[in-house]
């Protein structure tokens, strides 16, 4: 991917830079991905995330990799891309991309966090992509103070932005996890990411309230979505990105 190119020739996108996409009164909602696709600028997408992106505990989550793609190789070890058959939001996104001839890599790795992207970006980002989507923060909230997360996020997102044409930063859904102790909530993660995106001009989408705690949206640990919940994440993300109704060519 062309490095360091973060500005798209999209009139009106600046109104939404650093904030969740939404309708602008009297004008259609801008769709950076749709416009990139129409102009021939969207050839590849890479997701960077943790177990929520990897589809842990979703239907078929334990299936072996069927692509053999190494999505991370560095100080944390070596990890292959999860199976394309897992019933999760990332594979919904993959299907959307595949229908449009866009290559797709799901570099979601269970247990990973923003710190790892900051410390070893090459290991996780590889050669980058036209669009890089980063959804991290769930594990960070149980591991380091909020200000450390802010510092890691600033460094990590800068590295990601340098390896794509468009960086999309996604705030994870709220949780009440029972498998670990949160030092702070996802609402604070959301605030930090929104602030950084405003400062740096990254595109921010919040999935903070996309799921409902205590329902079938989550597994019993109240942090990992079920397949039903994960598909809702894709519905929310695609809707906010304005690509839900973009026809395949």
């Amino acid at each position: 991917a062309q490095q360091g190119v973060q500005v798209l020739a999209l009139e009106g996108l600046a109104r939404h830079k650093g904030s969740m996409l939404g309708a602008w009164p009297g004008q259609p909602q801008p769709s950076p991905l749709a416009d990139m696709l129409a102009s021939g600028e969207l050839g590849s997408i890479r997701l960077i995330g943790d177990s929520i992106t990897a589809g842990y505990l979703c239907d078929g989550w334990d299936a072996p990799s069927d692509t053999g793609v190494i999505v991370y190789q560095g100080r944390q070890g070596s990890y292959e891309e999860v199976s394309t058959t897992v019933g999760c939001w990332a594979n919904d996104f993959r299907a959307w991309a595949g229908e449009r001839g866009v290559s797709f890599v799901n570099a979601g790795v269970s247990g990973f966090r923003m710190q790892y992207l900051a410390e070893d970006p090459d290991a996780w980002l590889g050669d980058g992509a036209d669009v890089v989507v980063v959804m991290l923060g769930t594990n960070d909230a149980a591991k380091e103070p909020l200000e450390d997360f802010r510092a890691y996020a600033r460094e990590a997102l800068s590295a990601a932005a340098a390896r794509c044409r468009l960086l999309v930063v996604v705030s994870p859904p709220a949780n009440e996890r029972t498998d670990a102790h949160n030092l702070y909530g996802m609402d604070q993660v959301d605030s930090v990411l929104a602030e950084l995106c405003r400062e740096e001009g990254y595109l921010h989408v919040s999935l903070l309230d996309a799921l409902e705690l205590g329902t079938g949206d989550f597994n019993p640990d109240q942090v990992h979505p079920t397949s039903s919940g994960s598909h809702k994440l894709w519905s929310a993300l695609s809707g906010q990105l304005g690509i839900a109704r973009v026809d395949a060519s």
Side-chain angles (χ1 to χ4, degrees), residues 1 6 20 41 47 70 77 82 128 138 145 154 165 210 218 232:
Q6 188 62 32
M20 183 173 66
E41 293 181 280
L47 306 187
I70 302 297
V82 298
T138 299
R154 184 180 300 279
R165 293 178 179 272
F218 285 94
K232 286 183 180 180

Side-chain angles (χ1 to χ4, degrees), residues 117-201:
L117 183 57
E119 292 177 343
D120 201 358
D122 291 340
W124 208 351
L125 291 164
D127 294 329
D130 292 324
V131 173
V132 170
V133 180
V134 176
M135 185 168 76
L136 292 167
T138 299
N139 292 321
D140 297 81
K143 294 293 184 179
E144 75 256 351
L146 186 63
E147 288 310 305
D148 287 357
F149 172 70
R150 184 190 306 274
Y152 288 135
R154 184 180 300 279
E155 187 173 354
L157 297 178
S158 177
R163 290 166 174 82
C164 64
R165 293 178 179 272
L166 175 68
L167 173 62
V168 181
V169 181
V170 182
S171 294
N175 70 72
E176 293 179 352
R177 65 187 309 167
T178 60
D179 62 341
H181 172 68
N182 282 333
L183 303 175
Y184 42 89
M186 288 301 103
D187 56 336
Q188 291 172 281
V189 168
D190 182 59
S191 294
V192 166
L193 294 177
E195 181 180 351
L196 288 175
C197 288
R198 283 193 297 269
E199 292 175 2
E200 302 297 334

